[in-house]
């Protein structure tokens, strides 16, 4: 919002898949439209180039006009003139700026380029960077915000080093346990239901910061409680509802897990994957084989197993044979790993609940402290 309110400034939102980037874009789009701006959200795909992205902008403008309850007669001719400028198949940043200027005479503009990482044409990325640079230099009241899956901004926006001065870099972190807990408690309050402490800690701790899993655990826990004719949700209800909830998870995760753990003979692939979930990792999700030793030994019920007992499994799990469920980086003897799809980590944890491999309490978030500080600060009051 700070970038949106500052003419000439822009932003980029990036982070892991499933972390809430699109939800953030949708929320801010709604806030901007309420505050007198024209905010649109464009969903990009692999077939897009610079021209097709801005044709989608034209379509979103028509949807915006149709959504105005009292109409916007002053905007219709402006958007028609903008559409005429964008009609060329080979438009560039200069033409887009001219098209935006027709609309900017009436209202500021915010354009979210959602799923921008799906755009595979290098020219589209470079032209978008050029556009951001041009709008920044001219201090236009138009804000461009690419949104996509990436570890760093360079994968989403390329071209001008200088745009960094006018580009707010918003890295979406995983949600803190107290934030996931709030998702559940607010939903339960609307249902006039309540959950005990262990149920809330399960909902807050098992998803590993991903809101969609917290929604599933809370929803299915509430459903199980209602089926038992009670408004009191226990951890038993949450666990009993897990089997139904896992059917709602992206089918590609289940397929990838089955491919990674399948073996004609008894194997330890599922235990190794579970140990990877419990291993200490850095801020980007990477862990070393040595980090897997303690949780793997605990799962196998041994004192201390050597790295050589599971290291071949890590190598295979990062190969095509096992669907590259893990990503391997670094030189030999200094390999580090992380889950290729970050949503796989909580999926593996939830699969492990049905086994005797680990106790749920060992991975749950701790009870909230008196000041509620379980992670980064959260906004307690509604934003709008």
């Amino acid at each position: 919002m700070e970038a949106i309110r500052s003419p000439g400034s822009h932003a980029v939102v990036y982070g892991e898949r499933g972390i809430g980037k699109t939800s953030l874009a949708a929320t801010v789009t709604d806030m901007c439209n309420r505050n007198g701006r024209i905010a649109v959200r464009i969903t990009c795909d692999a077939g897009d180039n610079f021209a097709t992205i801005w044709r989608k902008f034209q379509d979103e403008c028509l949807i915006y006009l149709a959504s105005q309850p009292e109409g916007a007669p002053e905007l219709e001719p402006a958007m028609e003139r903008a559409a005429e400028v964008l009609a060329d198949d080979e438009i560039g940043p200069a033409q887009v700026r001219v098209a935006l200027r027709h609309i900017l005479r009436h209202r500021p503009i915010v354009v979210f380029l959602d799923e921008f990482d799906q755009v595979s044409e290098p020219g589209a990325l470079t032209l978008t960077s050029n556009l951001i640079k041009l709008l920044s230099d001219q201090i236009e009241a138009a804000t461009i915000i690419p949104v996509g899956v990436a570890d760093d901004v360079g994968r989403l926006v390329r071209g001008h080093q200088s745009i960094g001065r006018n580009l707010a870099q918003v890295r979406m972190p995983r949600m803190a346990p107290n934030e996931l807990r709030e998702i559940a408690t607010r939903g339960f309050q609307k249902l006039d239901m309540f959950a005990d402490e262990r149920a809330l800690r399960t909902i807050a701790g098992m998803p590993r910061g991903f809101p969609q899993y917290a929604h599933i655990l809370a929803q299915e826990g509430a459903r199980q409680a209602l089926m038992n004719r009670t408004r009191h949700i226990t951890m038993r209800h949450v666990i009993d509802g897990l089997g139904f909830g896992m059917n709602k998870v992206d089918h590609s995760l289940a397929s990838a897990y089955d491919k990674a753990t399948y073996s004609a003979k008894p194997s330890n692939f599922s235990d190794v994957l579970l140990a990877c979930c419990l291993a200490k990792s850095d801020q980007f999700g990477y862990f070393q084989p040595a980090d897997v030793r303690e949780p793997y030994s605990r799962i196998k019920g041994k004192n201390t197993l050597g790295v050589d007992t599971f290291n071949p499994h890590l190598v295979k799990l990062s190969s095509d044979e096992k669907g590259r469920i893990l990503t391997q980086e670094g030189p030999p003897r200094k390999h580090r790993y992380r889950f290729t799809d970050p949503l796989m980590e909580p999926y593996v944890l939830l699969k492990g609940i049905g086994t005797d491999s680990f106790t749920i309490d060992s991975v749950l978030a701790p009870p909230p402290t008196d000041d509620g500080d379980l992670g980064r600060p959260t906004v307690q009051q509604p934003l709008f």
Side-chain angles (χ1 to χ4, degrees), residues 131-145:
L131 175 62
I132 291 173
K133 176 69 164 58
L134 178 61
L135 294 175
S136 295
D137 290 346
Q138 299 297 326
I139 317 180
E140 302 283 9
T143 308
I144 310 299
I145 308 177

Side-chain angles (χ1 to χ4, degrees), residues 126-293:
T126 302
L127 289 172
T128 300
S129 295
N130 293 345
L131 175 62
I132 291 173
K133 176 69 164 58
L134 178 61
L135 294 175
S136 295
D137 290 346
Q138 299 297 326
I139 317 180
E140 302 283 9
T143 308
I144 310 299
I145 308 177
V147 180
V149 177
D151 289 331
D152 58 74
V153 172
R155 295 189 182 185
L156 287 181
V157 181
R158 65 177 66 166
H160 288 283
Q161 297 282 346
S162 58
I163 67 173
R165 296 193 304 268
N166 303 95
L167 193 67
Q169 301 181 13
V170 182
R171 185 178 188 276
M172 287 287 290
R174 297 189 183 189
M175 295 186 77
N178 59 329
E179 294 173 316
L180 296 178
R181 187 185 183 101
E182 189 175 1
I183 287 176
T185 53
R186 285 191 177 189
F188 295 152
Q189 287 170 3
K190 289 184 177 181
L191 297 173
D192 195 23
M193 301 180 72
F194 65 97
D196 63 26
E197 181 59 33
R198 293 196 75 208
L200 288 174
R201 288 177 61 206
T202 302
I203 294 168
M206 296 302 293
R208 283 301 196 253
F210 288 95
Q212 73 177 66
Y213 287 102
H215 280 289
I216 289 173
L217 289 173
Q219 183 183 62
E220 295 304 326
R223 191 193 309 276
Q224 289 296 316
L226 291 173
M227 290 173 64
N228 285 277
R229 299 183 179 280
T230 178
R231 291 182 295 174
H232 177 199
I233 303 164
T234 67
M235 191 178 75
R236 185 71 264 165
H237 293 136
V238 175
I239 300 306
D240 288 346
L242 184 60
F244 298 97
M246 294 298 278
N247 292 328
K248 298 181 178 180
V249 176
D250 188 343
H251 181 67
S252 63
L253 292 173
S255 297
Y257 179 84
D258 290 342
K259 181 175 182 178
T261 56
Y262 172 78
S263 176
K265 299 178 181 179
S267 71
N268 294 315
F269 285 112
S270 59
D271 288 340
V272 172
L273 276 180
L274 183 57
C276 291
C277 293
L278 303 175
K280 292 182 179 179
S281 59
D282 64 18
Q283 61 175 328
F284 298 108
Y286 283 104
F287 55 87
Q288 296 178 334
D291 298 318
V292 181
R293 178 189 299 158

Side-chain angles (χ1 to χ4, degrees), residues 33-64:
N33 284 326
R34 294 188 192 190
N35 293 332
R37 290 175 170 81
I38 298 174
V40 299
R41 188 159 52 94
I42 298 167
T43 302
C44 304
D45 57 57
D48 274 328
N49 55 38
F50 189 76
T52 61
I53 288 172
W54 288 98
R55 278 200 289 272
K56 288 182 177 180
F57 169 76
Q58 295 175 240
D59 297 335
E60 292 298 328
C61 284
L62 293 175
I63 294 173
Y64 174 85

Side-chain angles (χ1 to χ4, degrees), residues 65-74:
L65 284 175
S67 69
Q68 301 304 296
E70 299 179 359
E74 78 284 2

Side-chain angles (χ1 to χ4, degrees), residues 296-310:
Y296 184 68
S297 300
R298 182 157 35 98
I299 289 170
K300 303 304 288 184
K302 307 291 184 180
N303 289 330
T304 304
L305 293 172
V307 172
D308 58 314
T309 59
F310 57 82

